[in-house]
Amino acid sequence: MEEMTNKRYRPLQVVVFLIVIPLLFATTVALFVMTAAGVNVFESGKEWAHKVPFLSSTIEGETKDSITKLNEQIFELEAEMKNKEAKITQLEEKLASSEKTNSELKAEKEQLMQQMEELHQIQEENKRAFNELVQTYETMSPKNAASILSNMEEQQAVKILANISTEALSKILEKMSPEDAAKYTELLATNNH
């Protein structure tokens, strides 16, 4: 107990406890009371500061500096905004160009698909016609088939002979001259390998 009663406070602590804290409390209470009464304390403070000679010039200088800085910031932001708008316009143009190219490529793809389908149909028709031709040579008399094939272009004749049944092929080769039969047999053997 003796320690507490003998404890001395420093002068700074005394000033804080006896002057600063009560002053802050009083200011806060006054601010609440004036605000509740409808007085705009900050506007009143600005008006009062303009009446004091030294403070008014300081406030005006700060205001001019802050206005200048704000104007500079506005100018910079407007320039940045214009740059971004230009970039957006450029990207929109690129997008439109890409969409146009994409549409053109889709149309070209459709056209190529249609051409492929037509070629496939033509190929199927040619295959069907060729199969009918092969059947014609199979049903034809071997003597007539041999004479026709001997006078035909070699590649075409080999193609037909390669697709004829082995029974009809042997009968046709039998009716050919030995030279032609040997030639076509050799060509058929070469094509099969």
Side-chain angles (χ1 to χ4, degrees):
M1 263 286 205
E2 288 182 30
E3 288 178 18
M4 287 185 146
T5 55
N6 289 338
K7 191 172 185 181
R8 297 224 177 219
Y9 293 103
R10 293 185 188 158
L12 182 61
Q13 288 177 330
V14 171
V15 169
V16 168
F17 287 128
L18 294 178
I19 297 173
V20 175
I21 292 176
L23 187 60
L24 284 174
F25 181 73
T27 305
T28 305
V29 169
L31 185 64
F32 281 126
V33 169
M34 292 176 129
T35 304
V39 176
N40 190 342
V41 178
F42 297 107
E43 285 296 320
S44 299
K46 281 184 184 178
E47 290 174 12
W48 182 76
H50 282 293
K51 293 178 183 175
V52 177
F54 174 72
L55 287 178
S56 65
S57 63
T58 305
I59 292 173
E60 287 177 13
E62 287 177 2
T63 306
K64 287 179 184 177
D65 289 343
S66 64
I67 289 173
T68 305
K69 286 180 183 179
L70 288 174
N71 284 336
E72 288 175 4
Q73 286 178 345
I74 289 171
F75 181 74
E76 289 173 3
L77 289 173
E78 285 176 348
E80 185 178 336
M81 193 169 74
K82 285 180 183 178
N83 286 338
K84 288 188 179 188
E85 286 175 356
K87 204 172 209 178
I88 289 171
T89 303
Q90 185 181 19
L91 289 173
E92 286 174 345
E93 290 172 358
K94 240 183 191 179
L95 179 63
S97 173
S98 295
E99 288 174 351
K100 181 181 177 188
T101 303
N102 191 20
S103 297
E104 290 171 355
L105 289 174
K106 282 183 180 180
E108 187 177 339
K109 179 184 174 186
E110 288 294 322
Q111 184 180 9
L112 290 173
M113 293 295 283
Q114 186 177 6
Q115 287 177 354
M116 282 177 51
E117 183 62 31
E118 290 172 2
L119 289 173
H120 183 68
Q121 289 174 355
I122 290 170
Q123 186 181 21
E124 289 296 319
E125 181 63 31
N126 286 343
K127 195 183 283 185
R128 188 188 57 74
F130 181 74
N131 288 336
E132 287 177 4
L133 180 66
V134 168
Q135 284 179 344
T136 302
Y137 277 98
E138 285 179 345
T139 57
M140 192 183 288
S141 71
K143 185 177 180 180
N144 287 343
S147 74
I148 293 171
L149 289 169
S150 295
N151 291 323
M152 194 181 283
E153 188 180 309
E154 279 183 9
Q155 286 182 339
Q156 190 66 26
V158 169
K159 188 175 178 184
I160 292 171
L161 288 171
N163 289 292
I164 290 180
S165 68
T166 54
E167 185 182 320
L169 177 63
S170 65
K171 290 178 182 178
I172 292 172
L173 288 175
E174 186 179 294
K175 298 295 180 181
M176 285 184 175
S177 66
E179 297 85 25
D180 286 343
K183 176 177 73 173
Y184 285 117
T185 302
E186 186 178 328
L187 288 172
L188 283 170
T190 307
N191 277 352
N192 286 339
H193 294 289

